[in-house]
């Protein structure tokens, strides 16, 4: 941003006396409606122009929404709509039932949209659950009574399988091979669909949605094609056995559903603020259908997703989540819980020690996975972006080979958690999990599953298939927690008379290992996402285990404390940094102790209020890529008059050239002429507006003042940087101007704030990444050598009939061209002040 070093001004003109200039500026800030001149006609024309500009802005990608201007435009629409409606009803001769009916529809439009969106999300979630379960089970066997049934429905009512469910073969190597083959086929299909039709369907989508709700525009990310491909490829990715989950992608396809449906209603098609409310509600519904947790979904949207969450949005989020879960019944059990558990024994005070240990594990797990996954992501973006399909296929193949021998890794992660959460009493057992003779072998198996699943999550999360990290993390925490529960149970049975276990009742099981798995799942989820309240509520709604409210709160609190010691923000926040998205997190607090003048851009491109020729203005637009320009009185005084956006300026020029009546040497005016203003001597004729172009073809000046925002957000240079960041977070402007005694001193954007923030953090925590880059090069060299050796062996064995090679195809995911935020980077952050896509392939699907 600090590269904005050019400034533009016209020839110096005679300066009027200071009182005249002040009067001129004050008058220029008044619109025609405020002055009472032609209010109705002027308001209608302004409304039409605003709508045309909004249509253009909807096609701009990687830009930010100015929420202050959006609110002003919405007020203009409401006034225009009020005038139109009043005129219509008066012409009809009735202000009665039709007016009331229209007002009722306008007021209830939000609830209509929320209901439709919630129903669509619930239906889609139920369908995807059915398909995912069947694809996951088909790798292991089939149902003889009905091939389309998964194992649980084929053996409905049976505890440990049934005769109707058959393995593919009684010879285990055949089952191993088919498991491996299905995994490869599913991953290949999923990655191919994503690469060919909707690159944005890859990944979780939570970090991008956070930025979109905050006002960042990403064309196609919430489009119909992304929704369709994500819904098709998500079950395939989960069934392939990759260590990825469906909960993050559930939020993505839920928000896509809300965006697609809301576009059929003008209220949401034209207003970004109203759309933001629907997207926040959809994010809550996405978590609700993924976990069967409507309240937890609302809290997740409040705690993690939304930067702006008023009470109205909370109520609509609650209603949308309610419709999506209760009405649609995504788990087809008649209940809202995914894992129905009944812990009929309470916990003991001495177990808090072990609960704290589980909480520490959750924090360490989150910090470890975030650190190494970001390194894998950097390696993937640098070297593997051309081999997205091959990478996903090889990951699925390796995962199948490593996971099949382990009883907890072989099955679906959701099914694994359901098994680990259950009590041993009541006939619930899985391959001898509850038998005392298998205790140590089960503990070792669970330890191996924890370590292996952690490694697979690190290398799998971020590959080019729909991939979440919620359920994999919960599965890791559940396996670790169950292992701790088994060890504590063995410790109690070895020393039953110890004072530590004095609270245990005789002849009654004292330790319930399933509760440790339950707490471990919550700890791992909190550790990877850095969320607290929503995790506690999700775990209760997930299992119905209300007895363990206090232990869950203790575990999550310890996890949060440990996680914060290793860095602020969960993996979604770190992915925002990694992709270079402009996002200021409300959860972060900063104490820089510097004024905004140390961060602002001092040398900026500004436009004089008069004297600038049309061809010079076009040349300025062509050589600069900024999204807006301050308007000043002249280059000498730099009296700030307003701000004009690039889109508005481009629209005004195109409309002028379309008429074909203005000379390239025509003077451009950005300030409304008034009787007290001193006119520039070079203007030989009075200024005209677009409405008068046809009748004044010989004029030599054109008035752009109607496109200038006369009241931009401006601050004093000595205002603390922390306050400016709060303005960005709470008001959401695209740019804040800095003026001193009415004179333009500079401007500041979100990008400037982020650059300074990371500069300070880099100085406080210096690190050398040169060795990391060298290790990446060595690893890539090893991979190339192994690939060449494998290609040679295959070619020699096949007699030259099979040849492997090629450079791979170019990726179509625009996110692969983005880079992490760096303090010294000039193009690392996209903030909407540039109009350069840096080679990004943009597609409007």
């Amino acid at each position: 941003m600090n590269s904005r070093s050019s400034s533009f001004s016209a020839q110096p003109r005679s300066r009027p006396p200071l009182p005249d200039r002040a009067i001129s500026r004050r008058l220029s800030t008044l619109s025609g409606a405020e002055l009472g001149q032609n209010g109705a006609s002027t308001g209608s024309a302004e409304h039409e122009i605003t709508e045309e500009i909004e249509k253009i802005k909807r096609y701009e990608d990687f830009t930010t929404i100015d929420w202050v201007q959006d609110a002003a435009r919405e007020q203009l629409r409401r006034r225009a709509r009020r005038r139109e409606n009043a005129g219509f009803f008066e012409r009809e001769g009735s202000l009665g039932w039709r007016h009331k009916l229209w007002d009722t529809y306008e007021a209830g439009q939000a609830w209509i949209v929320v209901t439709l969106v919630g129903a669509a999300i619930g239906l889609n979630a139920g369908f995807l659950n059915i398909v995912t379960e069947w694809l996951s089970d088909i790798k292991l066997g089939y149902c003889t009574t009905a091939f389309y049934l998964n194992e649980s429905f084929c053996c409905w009512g049976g505890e440990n399988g049934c005769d109707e469910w058959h393995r593919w073969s009684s010879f285990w190597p055949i089952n191993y091979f088919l498991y491996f083959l299905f995994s490869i086929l599913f991953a290949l299909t999923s990655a191919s669909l994503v690469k060919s039709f909707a690159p944005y369907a890859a990944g979780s989508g939570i970090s991008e949605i956070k930025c979109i709700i905050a006002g960042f525009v990403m064309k196609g990310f919430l489009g119909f094609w992304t929704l369709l491909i994500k819904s098709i490829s998500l079950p395939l990715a989960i069934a392939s056995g990759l260590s990825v989950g469906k909960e993050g992608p559930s939020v993505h396809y839920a928000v896509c559903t809300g965006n697609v449906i809301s576009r059929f209603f003008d209220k949401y098609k034209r207003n970004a603020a109203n759309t933001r409310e629907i997207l926040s509600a959809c994010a809550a519904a996405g978590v609700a259908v993924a976990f069967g947790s409507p309240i937890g979904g609302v809290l997740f949207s409040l705690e993690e997703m939304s930067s702006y969450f008023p009470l109205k949005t909370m109520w609509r989020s609650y209603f949308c989540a309610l419709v999506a879960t209760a009405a649609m019944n995504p788990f087809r059990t008649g209940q809202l819980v995914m894992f129905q558990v009944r812990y009929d024994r309470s916990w003991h005070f001495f177990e808090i020690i072990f609960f704290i240990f589980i909480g520490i594990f959750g924090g360490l797990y989150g910090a470890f996975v975030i650190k190494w996954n970001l390194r894998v992501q950097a390696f993937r973006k640098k070297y593997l972006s051309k081999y997205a399909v091959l990478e996903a296929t090889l990951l699925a193949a390796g995962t199948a080979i490593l996971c099949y021998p382990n009883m907890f890794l072989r099955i679906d992660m959701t099914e694994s958690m359901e098994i680990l959460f259950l009590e041993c009493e009541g006939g619930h057992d899985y391959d001898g999990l509850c038998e005392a003779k298998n205790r140590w072998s089960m503990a070792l198996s669970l330890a191996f599953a924890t370590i292996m699943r952690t490694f697979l999550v690190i290398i799998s999360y971020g590959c080019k298939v729909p991939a979440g990290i919620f359920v994999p993390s919960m599965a890791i925490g559940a396996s670790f927690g169950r292992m701790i529960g088994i060890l504590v149970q063995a410790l109690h049975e070895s020393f039953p008379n110890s004072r530590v276990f004095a609270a245990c009742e005789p002849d009654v099981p004292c330790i319930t290992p399933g509760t440790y798995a339950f707490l471990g799942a919550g700890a791992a989820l909190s550790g990877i996402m850095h969320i607290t309240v929503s995790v506690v509520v999700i775990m209760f709604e997930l299992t119905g285990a209300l007895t363990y409210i206090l232990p869950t709160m203790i575990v999550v609190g310890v996890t949060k404390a440990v996680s914060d010691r290793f860095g602020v923000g969960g993996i979604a926040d770190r992915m925002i940094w990694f992709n270079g998205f402009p996002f200021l997190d409300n959860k972060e607090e900063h104490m820089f102790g510097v004024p905004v003048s140390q961060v602002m851009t001092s040398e900026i491109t500004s436009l004089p209020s008069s004297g600038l020729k049309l061809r010079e203005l076009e040349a300025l637009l062509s050589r600069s890529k900024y999204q807006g320009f301050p308007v000043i009185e002249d280059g000498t005084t730099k009296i700030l008059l307003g701000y004009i956006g690039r889109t508005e300026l481009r629209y005004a020029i195109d409309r002028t050239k379309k008429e074909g009546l203005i000379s390239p040497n025509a003077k451009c005016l950005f300030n409304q002429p008034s009787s007290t203003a001193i006119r520039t001597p070079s203007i030989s004729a009075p200024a005209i507006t677009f409405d008068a172009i046809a009748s004044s073809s010989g004029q030599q000046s054109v008035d752009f003042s109607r496109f200038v925002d006369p009241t931009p957000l401006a601050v004093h240079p000595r205002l603390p940087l922390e306050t400016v960041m709060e303005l960005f977070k709470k008001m959401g402007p695209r740019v804040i101007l800095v003026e001193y005694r009415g004179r333009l001193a500079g401007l500041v954007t979100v990008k400037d704030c982020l650059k300074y923030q990371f500069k300070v953090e880099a100085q406080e925590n210096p690190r050398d990444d040169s060795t990391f880059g060298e290790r990446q090069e060595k690893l890539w060299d090893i991979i190339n050598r192994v690939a060449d050796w494998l290609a040679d062996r295959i070619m020699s064995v096949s007699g030259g009939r099979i040849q492997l090679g090629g450079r791979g195809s170019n990726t179509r995911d625009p996110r692969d061209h983005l880079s992490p935020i760096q303090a010294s980077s000039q193009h690392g952050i996209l903030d909407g002040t540039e109009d350069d896509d840096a080679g990004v392939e943009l597609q409007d699907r």
Side-chain angles (χ1 to χ4, degrees), residues 331-409:
F331 305 120
R332 295 164 291 125
T333 60
Q335 299 170 340
L336 288 182
V337 295
M338 183 185 295
F339 310 119
Q340 183 68 37
V341 296
R342 293 183 177 87
Y343 299 133
D344 53 7
R345 293 186 299 272
S346 183
W347 54 281
H348 303 88
F349 188 77
F350 69 84
E351 292 181 281
I352 291 181
I353 300 175
F354 305 107
F355 297 160
I356 292 175
F357 182 71
I358 292 176
I360 294 173
F361 165 79
L364 295 176
Y365 160 79
F368 180 79
V369 170
I370 290 173
K371 175 182 178 180
W372 286 101
N373 179 257
L374 288 178
R375 295 195 171 189
V376 172
Q377 296 273 36
F379 181 83
R380 176 179 289 120
K381 181 174 290 189
K382 186 175 182 180
Y383 297 104
L384 301 179
S385 59
K386 296 181 179 180
Y387 309 94
V389 177
L390 179 61
E391 179 202 2
T393 306
L394 292 179
L395 280 175
T399 302
I401 293 173
L402 295 173
C403 291
Y404 188 83
N406 186 275
M407 56 183 292
F408 299 106
L409 298 176

Side-chain angles (χ1 to χ4, degrees), residues 509-820:
C510 182
I511 306 299
T512 306
T515 61
Y516 288 76
F518 164 79
L519 296 173
L525 178 58
S526 177
I528 199 67
M529 294 300 297
H530 283 219
I531 52 180
T532 53
V533 179
S534 54
V535 169
V536 175
V537 177
I538 286 173
M539 294 305 298
F540 296 150
E541 293 185 291
L542 195 66
T543 61
L546 298 178
T547 311
Y548 284 78
I549 291 179
L550 184 59
T552 307
M553 295 176 67
I554 293 174
V555 168
V556 171
V558 172
T559 299
K560 185 66 166 61
V562 174
S563 299
D564 289 342
R565 297 291 300 173
F566 291 92
V568 178
I571 194 166
D573 300 305
R574 301 307 296 167
M575 287 301 299
I576 291 174
W577 164 84
F578 182 78
N579 286 321
F581 295 140
F583 181 77
L584 289 173
D585 197 345
N586 285 327
K587 297 189 291 290
E588 295 185 10
E589 296 182 359
H590 306 285
M591 293 296 296
F592 298 115
V594 299
V596 68
S597 58
Q598 293 194 18
V599 181
M600 71 180 185
T601 301
S602 301
E603 299 179 357
I604 58 178
T605 302
S606 56
L607 303 178
S609 62
S610 61
L612 187 62
K613 297 180 180 179
L614 185 60
R615 56 181 174 84
E616 294 173 340
L617 184 59
E618 289 188 278
L620 176 63
L621 279 176
S622 63
R623 70 171 180 264
S624 66
K625 302 298 182 182
Y626 307 121
Q627 288 284 45
F629 306 92
V631 177
I632 58 177
E633 192 169 285
D634 57 54
T636 304
T637 63
K638 292 188 176 181
I639 299 296
L640 180 63
L641 300 179
Y643 185 85
I644 185 170
R646 182 186 186 89
T647 304
E648 288 83 354
L649 188 56
R650 185 75 264 174
Y651 168 81
I653 294 175
D654 291 342
R655 186 169 174 177
T656 304
K657 296 174 67 176
K658 184 178 179 180
E659 297 293 340
L661 303 174
I662 296 297
S663 168
N665 294 320
K667 299 300 179 63
C668 302
L669 301 182
F670 296 94
N671 190 18
Q672 277 189 341
S674 62
S675 59
T676 58
I678 304 300
R679 298 183 184 275
T680 305
S682 60
I683 300 179
S684 58
I688 62 170
T689 61
F690 288 114
D691 299 329
I693 283 179
S695 60
S696 54
S697 58
Q699 301 298 334
Q700 295 300 313
S701 61
V702 61
D703 185 8
F704 291 117
S705 61
R706 69 164 57 184
F707 301 98
V708 176
D709 177 13
T711 56
L713 188 59
V715 298
H716 194 277
R718 288 198 292 268
L719 189 69
L721 178 60
E722 297 86 350
T723 306
V724 174
M725 295 177 72
E726 288 299 315
L727 288 175
F728 277 118
K729 294 176 184 178
K730 291 181 169 58
M731 297 186 65
R734 174 182 287 177
V735 62
I736 296 178
L737 303 180
V738 182
E739 65 171 351
Y740 180 67
R741 294 182 177 177
R743 291 174 171 82
L744 180 65
L747 61 79
V748 62
T749 65
V750 173
K751 180 178 180 179
D752 296 319
C753 298
L754 287 173
K755 278 189 175 182
Y756 186 82
Q757 173 186 336
F758 284 96
K759 178 182 177 181
V760 172
E761 292 179 357
Q763 291 175 350
E764 294 177 351
N765 303 293
R767 61 180 184 181
D768 184 13
D769 291 334
S770 58
T771 56
F772 174 63
E774 294 175 359
R775 292 172 183 172
Q776 280 189 333
E777 293 285 351
K778 292 180 180 179
L779 178 60
W780 181 241
D781 183 61
I782 293 174
I783 292 176
N784 279 327
R785 291 182 181 180
V786 172
D788 292 339
W789 177 84
L790 183 62
D792 292 340
R793 298 285 79 78
I794 293 177
M795 186 172 64
S796 62
V797 170
S798 63
R801 289 186 295 271
I802 302 178
Q803 297 184 7
L804 302 180
R807 296 291 299 171
S809 58
N810 290 326
T811 180
R812 300 175 63 187
D813 191 340
R815 290 169 292 184
D816 289 334
H817 298 276
L818 306 179
S819 58

